[in-house]
Amino acid sequence: MLRIEDVKLAVVGLGYVGLPLAVEFGKKRPVLGFDINKRRIDELKSGHDHTLEVEGEDLAAAEHLRYSHDAEALAEANVFIVTVPTPIDQYKQPDLTPLIRASETIGRVLKRGDIVIYESTVYPGATEEVCVPVLESVSGLRFNEDFYAGYSPERINPGDKQHRVTTIRKVTSGSTPEVADLVDRLYAEIIVAGTHKAPSIRVAEAAKVIENTQRDVNIALINELALIFNKLGIDTQAVLEAAGTKWNFLPFRPGLVGGHCIGVDPYYLTHKAQSIGYHPEIILAGRRLNDSMGSYVVSQLIKAMTKRRIQVQGSRVLVMGLTFKENCPDLRNTRVVDIVRELAEYNIDVDVYDPWVDPEEAVAEYGIRPVEAPAEGAYDGIVLAVAHKQFCDMGAARIRALGKPEHVLYDLKYVLTAEEADLRL
């Protein structure tokens, strides 16, 4: 059995999850940071992280961390932490391709006694039912005899500078009690918030996938309440503030639900549930409602413009923000694109403005090229879709100045007061 002092660590996948993890371990012990994207490796070697999750000084502080895009370099490691994306496909089914490819890559260098730890969000059972067979097939080794596995779900919150990888309690697990102990001790080296050792890999997988499913369902409830209150002519934010005076009222807010976690993870759980003959009701209902919010926002905007006798067809609308959340450049599964595409269906000329976004990435991912700066006095409608600090600092007057004398301002994020905006969720 591998001893903690003999661990030679490799982190596979250096995105929003893998890089912060590799950096923290790299401050304590030798670590190989591996990514198949040579451009990403070159960027990190130069001391820059375009995701803005890790500052330059932290990259420099990880003195034991080195980077490579050469898969053969992984051969020197005996513990591998896999942090690749687990998205959904166009049919909203789990896409485990990145996870399988990473497992194949590791399988080619896997040796007796090695441990493979997965952090990517999956459904309960995926590690042992999907990943382990790939490792066995490629390596020719036997699970829990020649090599072992662990699962420790990531809890990264992009753009959050308060809750960092070291300050969020870490769930750990292993395929045998001894491996579970080693995995737990390994993470305890960097996690100051402490660890929670789950009794099995399946429990750890399930715990992760329900964290974001719970949030998704709760947000869906608030979104539905917002639809009801809008029909009643009641300000949703005012209702939530009043209800929030009770000590156990949960502080969720309505809005678009995107990103790589909340808008994706529930589909992993429902996929597994359906595979065992159970059709989830509440989870899928919540997903449908949250996925419909972009269309609802556009319908409300069009109604408001029509009431003000603003010609809809051929009008200009500014969408402020494209990322899935505020103050980060992450475009993964952003639902702002639903608003942009729905507006285009009405033959509306849409400008998207987001100072956080890499324009080339936006073009490659969604076919949307953000404007460098919005024109003043040019827009019939303005949708404040993401609460970036820059937008909050502008205030109502400067945002209004972007619109024509007669325009509609829709605030999705409660950046403005009810009096300052024409529409709010």
Side-chain angles (χ1 to χ4, degrees):
M1 179 65 200
L2 189 65
R3 299 182 305 171
I4 191 76
E5 56 266 30
D6 296 327
V7 167
K8 297 177 182 178
L9 187 61
V11 176
V12 179
L14 298 177
Y16 285 86
V17 174
L19 181 62
L21 191 72
V23 165
E24 293 304 324
F25 273 119
K27 296 175 182 178
K28 303 282 188 179
R29 60 164 61 239
V31 180
L32 174 66
F34 172 80
D35 200 288
I36 60 173
N37 187 338
K38 183 180 183 299
R39 181 181 173 188
R40 174 65 164 162
I41 294 299
D42 292 341
E43 169 190 89
L44 294 174
K45 285 181 177 179
S46 73
H48 175 65
D49 169 30
H50 80 273
T51 71
L52 306 181
E53 284 302 298
V54 180
E55 301 293 339
E57 54 266 33
D58 283 320
L59 286 175
E63 57 183 346
H64 304 297
L65 173 61
R66 62 188 185 86
Y67 307 100
S68 179
H69 64 90
D70 182 0
E72 292 184 4
L74 291 169
E76 66 188 49
N78 53 23
V79 174
F80 308 85
I81 299 179
V82 181
T83 58
V84 298
T86 44
I88 52 175
D89 63 20
Q90 60 179 323
Y91 305 108
K92 297 180 179 177
Q93 294 297 307
D95 180 4
L96 296 176
T97 303
L99 207 56
I100 292 170
R101 295 290 178 264
S103 298
E104 290 172 343
T105 298
I106 294 170
R108 285 190 277 270
V109 298
L110 200 63
K111 306 174 295 298
R112 293 184 185 278
D114 287 0
I115 301 172
V116 186
I117 305 167
Y118 292 89
E119 288 212 3
S120 309
T121 301
V122 291
Y123 52 77
T127 298
E128 291 157 298
E129 296 167 9
V130 177
C131 300
V132 165
V134 173
L135 294 171
E136 286 186 316
S137 174
V138 176
S139 70
L141 301 176
R142 291 170 296 181
F143 179 50
N144 277 343
E145 293 183 26
D146 301 321
F147 74 93
Y148 307 90
Y151 185 79
S152 181
E154 60 89 3
R155 283 175 166 169
I156 292 294
N157 186 25
D160 189 337
K161 300 305 180 183
Q162 180 180 357
H163 301 98
R164 310 302 294 164
V165 63
T166 59
T167 61
I168 303 171
R169 195 172 183 190
K170 200 85 163 73
V171 174
T172 66
S173 65
S175 57
T176 70
E178 295 78 17
V179 170
D181 288 341
L182 187 141
V183 170
D184 194 71
R185 288 180 61 197
L186 181 63
Y187 279 106
E189 291 181 349
I190 64 167
I191 308 297
V192 298
T195 60
H196 174 88
K197 187 168 59 176
S200 70
I201 287 176
R202 286 165 62 87
V203 167
E205 291 168 326
K208 168 58 182 176
V209 81
I210 71 165
E211 289 174 12
N212 290 315
T213 300
Q214 182 187 66
R215 285 180 56 78
D216 192 44
V217 170
N218 275 289
I219 296 171
L221 171 62
I222 302 301
N223 273 336
E224 188 161 63
L225 293 176
L227 304 187
I228 294 170
F229 294 146
N230 283 347
K231 283 185 173 294
L232 293 173
I234 302 173
D235 183 69
T236 303
Q237 177 71 355
V239 174
L240 295 176
E241 288 175 354
T245 60
K246 189 180 180 187
W247 74 91
N248 60 353
F249 185 81
L250 301 177
F252 289 95
R253 290 295 183 268
L256 306 175
V257 183
H260 67 295
C261 287
I262 301 179
V264 172
D265 294 358
Y267 288 119
Y268 274 75
L269 184 56
T270 58
H271 167 82
K272 184 63 175 180
Q274 289 168 334
S275 74
I276 59 172
Y278 180 79
H279 182 75
E281 300 288 348
I282 294 175
I283 299 171
L284 286 176
R287 279 280 74 236
R288 286 192 296 271
L289 197 147
N290 284 340
D291 279 347
S292 72
M293 291 305 292
S295 177
Y296 173 78
V297 165
V298 172
S299 70
Q300 292 295 99
L301 178 67
I302 296 301
K303 288 178 183 178
M305 291 173 64
T306 303
K307 286 180 180 179
R308 295 193 178 192
R309 301 184 185 279
I310 298 173
Q311 175 68 35
V312 172
Q313 191 169 16
S315 63
R316 292 188 69 185
V317 170
L318 174 67
V319 176
M320 299 180 68
L322 183 59
T323 61
F324 90 89
K325 63 177 294 188
E326 65 277 3
N327 303 326
C328 81
D330 197 347
L331 287 173
R332 289 176 296 175
N333 194 39
T334 175
R335 301 290 20 114
V336 179
V337 298
D338 296 343
I339 294 175
V340 176
R341 290 167 179 168
E342 188 79 9
L343 287 169
E345 291 290 319
Y346 288 89
N347 292 321
I348 293 173
D349 184 13
V350 184
D351 281 352
V352 176
Y353 173 57
D354 194 321
W356 285 84
V357 165
D358 177 349
E360 297 307 320
E361 184 180 354
V363 172
E365 191 72 24
Y366 300 109
I368 296 172
R369 182 171 292 280
V371 297
E372 291 186 9
E376 290 197 9
Y379 300 101
D380 301 287
I382 301 171
V383 180
L384 188 47
V386 185
H388 289 317
K389 183 180 185 298
Q390 292 92 328
F391 300 160
C392 297
D393 291 344
M394 286 177 70
R398 287 177 60 195
I399 294 174
R400 286 281 191 190
L402 301 173
K404 295 177 180 177
E406 188 67 39
H407 66 273
V408 176
L409 173 56
Y410 198 154
D411 178 14
L412 304 188
K413 301 298 291 185
Y414 299 106
V415 170
L416 309 175
T417 66
E419 293 73 29
E420 291 173 327
D422 298 312
L423 295 170
R424 300 204 300 177
L425 270 181

